[in-house]
Amino acid sequence: MKPVSLSRFLIEEQRDKAQIRPDLRLLIEVVARACKSISIAVGKGALGGVLGDAGATNIQGEAQKKLDVLSNEILLEANEWGGHLAAIASEEMDDPHPIPHRYPKGEYLLVFDPLDGSSNIDVNVSVGTIFSVLRCPEGVTEPTEAAFLQPGAQQVAAGYCVYGPSTILVLTLGDGVNVFTLDREVGSFVLTRRGVRIPEETSEFAINASNQRHWEAPVQRYVAELTAGKTGPRGRDFNMRWVASMVADVHRILTRGGIFMYPVDAKCRDKGGRLRLLYEANPMALIVEQAGGAATDGHGRLLDRTPRGLHERVPVFLGSRQEVERVTAYHREA
Ligand code: AHG
Ligand code: MN
Ligand code: MN
């Protein structure tokens, strides 16, 4: 069979399946094009002068890397003139970015973490981009923060790109999850996995174990049972992996199962958690659910949370359904 490019896939979703509208197709194509540019910049590394700190901090108090800033600019420039967006919000910007008046406005809101896994940039480990698409509320012509504060269940599309040994785009339009691999010579994303399903059972978990002393009781209990292995209550051995780029950790789980956890702990309790609801948790939760997995904040479904702010942080448990349900049950019991 002939390879199916992202463009062809999207046109078929629009024309043959009536699954998406033309402006959403354009939006996805534009984001994918921006991700190609980011992939090129990431790939050049030191030769492109893109490593190291930018010398500024974002609203979350995190030191920005040059690639955080560059990726944000690439995504903004690619998306502001096409007429498909009403506004843009990013992990790296304090406030929503309005579409300049000289361009037409569309009906979608785009939200992104331009460069996920910043701590891995300078050590040549996989990083990525995470994005989410919402509908601009009806009647809103100049979207402010309030327009973005929609439960994740209302996302019309979500995806991420991993800049690893190969560049991979994972996309959901709310009808399953598909994976595209960048053909670098041709410069186009090619469909390489259709209808991804996360195995329900798993023997692999991901958590930053250096925070163990700060974890709450339900997470202590769950991880202690996993690490007890064969002779513990679970009766089998579990393996642990932590890349520290959410995109890479989630991609491994999408490929061979597992559970990813970034719980709230004593270190980040005042902020609500480590990961951001709009830029990280919600898009990943939609992808994981669309692949048959589950995603909670320890208590309830992540996608049901109404965000209280653009940069709100939350605890995250996602991946293979049975494991996510178990650790969530431990929270409820506590
Ligand atoms: P970002 O680089 O966008 O700030 O996100 C980093 C996130 C996420 O990708 C990863 O899972 C987590 O932070 C790693 O946290 P630790 O450094 O605490 O392990
Ligand atoms: Mn991130
Ligand atoms: Mn980031």
Side-chain angles (χ1 to χ4, degrees):
M1 219 181 81
K2 278 231 169 95
V4 175
S5 66
L6 176 67
S7 299
R8 178 169 181 176
F9 172 86
L10 291 171
I11 283 177
E12 287 173 356
E13 290 292 301
Q14 178 203 321
R15 197 182 51 198
D16 304 345
K17 289 171 68 185
Q19 178 70 24
I20 56 167
R21 302 166 40 139
D23 46 350
L24 182 58
R25 172 169 65 82
L26 172 68
L27 191 166
I28 304 291
E29 295 242 33
V30 172
V31 170
R33 197 159 57 230
C35 288
K36 277 188 243 174
S37 299
I38 298 172
S39 173
I40 291 168
V42 168
K44 285 197 173 136
L47 301 178
V50 296
L51 304 186
D53 292 333
T57 37
N58 64 16
I59 187 166
Q60 341 221 4
E62 299 163 336
Q64 289 175 308
K65 297 278 182 185
K66 282 183 194 163
L67 263 178
D68 288 320
V69 176
L70 180 66
S71 306
N72 193 61
E73 280 166 7
I74 288 173
L75 279 157
L76 281 186
E77 275 163 25
N79 277 286
E80 53 177 25
W81 51 269
H84 50 287
L85 290 180
I88 300 170
S90 160
E91 180 185 287
E92 302 300 343
M93 301 188 298
D94 300 8
D95 302 306
H97 176 86
I99 298 302
H101 286 297
R102 59 185 183 281
Y103 301 126
K105 266 197 203 129
E107 59 185 78
Y108 294 106
L109 301 172
L110 176 64
V111 173
F112 48 74
D113 173 356
L115 209 287
D116 175 67
S118 309
S119 73
N120 282 322
I121 294 170
D122 294 346
V123 292
N124 199 25
V125 171
S126 295
V127 291
T129 296
I130 310 172
F131 65 94
S132 153
V133 182
L134 294 161
R135 225 171 241 112
C136 186
E138 232 166 277
V140 175
T141 50
E142 305 284 336
T144 58
E145 178 174 14
F148 288 86
L149 305 184
Q150 309 178 29
Q154 292 178 19
Q155 292 170 101
V156 292
Y160 65 81
C161 208
V162 193
Y163 313 114
S166 51
T167 288
I168 284 176
L169 175 73
V170 175
L171 176 68
T172 182
L173 303 167
D175 178 30
V177 177
N178 296 294
V179 178
F180 303 83
T181 304
L182 181 62
D183 181 330
R184 293 187 207 273
E185 280 75 43
V186 179
S188 97
F189 280 104
V190 178
L191 182 61
T192 44
R193 255 174 94 199
R194 218 185 251 276
V196 176
R197 302 302 290 173
I198 299 177
E200 282 199 15
E201 274 186 72
T202 173
S203 293
E204 212 160 61
F205 67 103
I207 192 164
N208 183 341
S210 71
N211 294 325
Q212 179 169 13
R213 68 191 182 285
H214 303 296
W215 297 340
E216 293 175 339
V219 178
Q220 295 283 7
R221 173 185 169 193
Y222 177 72
V223 175
E225 289 181 2
L226 299 182
T227 51
K230 249 196 193 97
T231 52
R234 300 297 302 269
R236 64 182 207 270
D237 290 334
F238 285 79
N239 188 27
M240 203 275 274
R241 287 283 182 276
W242 184 252
V243 182
S245 289
M246 190 189 198
V247 279
D249 282 310
V250 169
H251 196 67
R252 181 186 60 255
I253 289 168
L254 228 55
T255 308
R256 64 181 192 210
I259 177 169
F260 171 94
M261 295 171 275
Y262 214 120
V264 66
D265 60 34
K267 233 170 68 185
C268 60
R269 186 164 302 115
D270 52 327
K271 290 179 181 151
R274 165 79 166 89
L275 298 175
R276 277 86 13 161
L277 178 58
L278 265 74
Y279 316 113
E280 294 166 325
N282 272 345
M284 291 311 202
L286 186 66
I287 291 166
V288 164
E289 282 199 6
Q290 284 291 319
T296 75
D297 60 5
H299 296 273
R301 190 178 172 229
L302 272 166
L303 295 180
D304 286 336
R305 280 181 74 124
T306 301
R308 281 171 301 187
L310 216 44
H311 302 287
E312 181 178 0
R313 295 175 189 247
V314 289
V316 174
F317 300 84
L318 56 77
S320 294
R321 175 164 294 281
Q322 288 179 11
E323 293 304 317
V324 174
E325 281 170 0
R326 179 184 285 262
V327 70
T328 305
Y330 289 2
H331 281 82
R332 291 196 185 127
E333 283 168 32

